[in-house]
Amino acid sequence: MPSSNPVFGRGLQNAGPGYGQQSPWGGAPQYGAPQYGYGTQDPYAAPSPYAQSPYAPPTTRYMTMDDVVQKTGLSFLVTVISAAVTWALLPQQLAFGLALPAVLVALVLGLVISFKQIANPVATLSYGALYGIALGAISEAFNQVWPGIVMQALVGTFGVFAGMLVVYKTGAIRVTPKLTRWIVGAMFGVLALVLVNLVVGFFVPGGLGLRDGGTLSIVFSLVVIGVAAFSLLLDFDMADEAIRRGAPAKFAWYIAFGLLITVVWLYLEILRLLSYLQSSE
């Protein structure tokens, strides 16, 4: 499970100039496009040849939903291509040999992007390409044991993503501060249980039984899938909030990074759940 989801640091302070800045006159922070009232030219003075016309387009382009869709789509495409190349072209042993280093590098890169809120195409696409290598190797291994399971997991992931998008857009579930705290707390809880299960597994076979394929494993996977699905609501709300506050267009790369983490997490957990169900048949 990726542990670098930027929902742990959802603040948008660093989104860009004019975004949540304090007014030079004091008072409430100014959101949206930067304010130009401070230090404007005397209306009775001769116009400066270097002054920008009030009718000229702004020099900063602000983020739109099209930016989010395009950057997210490109990030997913790079990840899928990387996974497909790893699966189809690399020998299985080589693919597994590259998977662990790719995950470790992606984990470090993801933490840096999350905590520094780096909105950069190179960083986001590199993260997607690295995780694509691991996804390709993991998917190939699962599909060899349970043929067709990867396609089922992809369909399930797309279905959950589309369903949560509809839920968000229709307002069936509203992202409130209370809901945000609940989701973040649930994510920390899941992470803590996974780590405890891993540590206990060194001393007791199967650990706490959260990943041994039994009934408890199935229940735990369903809970994790639910938490990951609700995390998508936070990603959608983050995009809308950034657009409302006038974040620069490049901030869409950070939104795409967050969505990529959540979708990869969701896919891996659905893949794991399907393996439990097919093993129990």
Side-chain angles (χ1 to χ4, degrees):
M1 177 189 71
S3 60
S4 54
N5 195 314
V7 71
F8 297 157
R10 284 284 170 186
L12 302 174
Q13 306 88 312
N14 301 326
Y19 183 84
Q21 292 179 343
Q22 188 72 24
S23 167
W25 303 108
Q30 302 298 313
Y31 297 98
Q35 304 298 313
Y36 297 107
Y38 176 64
T40 52
Q41 186 180 1
D42 183 351
Y44 298 103
S48 168
Y50 304 103
Q52 183 180 13
S53 167
Y55 303 103
T59 56
T60 301
R61 191 174 74 82
Y62 299 101
M63 191 178 80
T64 65
M65 188 54 66
D66 285 342
D67 293 321
V68 175
V69 172
Q70 291 171 6
K71 305 305 187 288
T72 303
L74 183 58
S75 300
F76 285 168
L77 180 62
V78 169
T79 305
V80 170
I81 290 176
S82 177
V85 169
T86 302
W87 184 344
L89 300 183
L90 297 183
Q92 188 174 22
Q93 291 185 347
L94 177 58
F96 273 108
L98 294 175
L100 182 58
V103 168
L104 294 177
V105 174
L107 178 60
V108 173
L109 178 60
L111 290 172
V112 172
I113 295 173
S114 298
F115 289 110
K116 291 192 174 182
Q117 293 193 345
I118 298 175
N120 184 284
V122 175
T124 299
L125 295 180
S126 297
Y127 181 86
L130 288 168
Y131 247 107
I133 295 173
L135 289 177
I138 294 171
S139 299
E140 183 181 8
F142 272 77
N143 204 67
Q144 284 186 349
V145 179
W146 300 282
I149 194 174
V150 170
M151 184 57 64
Q152 295 172 10
L154 288 173
V155 172
T157 303
F158 176 79
V160 173
F161 183 91
M164 297 310 292
L165 182 60
V166 171
V167 166
Y168 177 77
K169 286 299 184 182
T170 57
I173 299 179
R174 298 188 179 278
V175 180
T176 62
K178 182 178 181 180
L179 178 63
T180 301
R181 290 193 298 270
W182 182 89
I183 295 174
V184 173
M187 293 175 67
F188 276 113
V190 166
L191 177 61
L193 284 174
V194 169
L195 292 177
V196 170
N197 184 72
L198 180 64
V199 173
V200 174
F202 289 117
F203 306 98
V204 180
L208 300 177
L210 300 180
R211 296 302 193 189
D212 63 359
T215 302
L216 183 59
S217 299
I218 294 175
V219 173
F220 183 69
S221 279
L222 288 172
V223 171
V224 175
I225 290 171
V227 174
F230 273 85
S231 297
L232 286 171
L233 296 179
L234 299 187
D235 294 321
F236 299 150
D237 185 67
M238 186 181 182
D240 278 344
E241 185 70 10
I243 292 172
R244 285 194 297 267
R245 296 194 177 191
K250 69 176 184 178
F251 194 69
W253 287 110
Y254 187 74
I255 304 294
F257 165 74
L259 284 167
L260 182 61
I261 284 183
T262 308
V263 170
V264 168
W265 177 26
L266 183 62
Y267 166 75
L268 289 174
E269 200 58 45
I270 291 177
L271 190 65
R272 190 189 297 269
L273 175 63
L274 291 174
S275 71
Y276 295 156
L277 295 175
Q278 293 195 21
S279 297
S280 62
E281 292 179 354

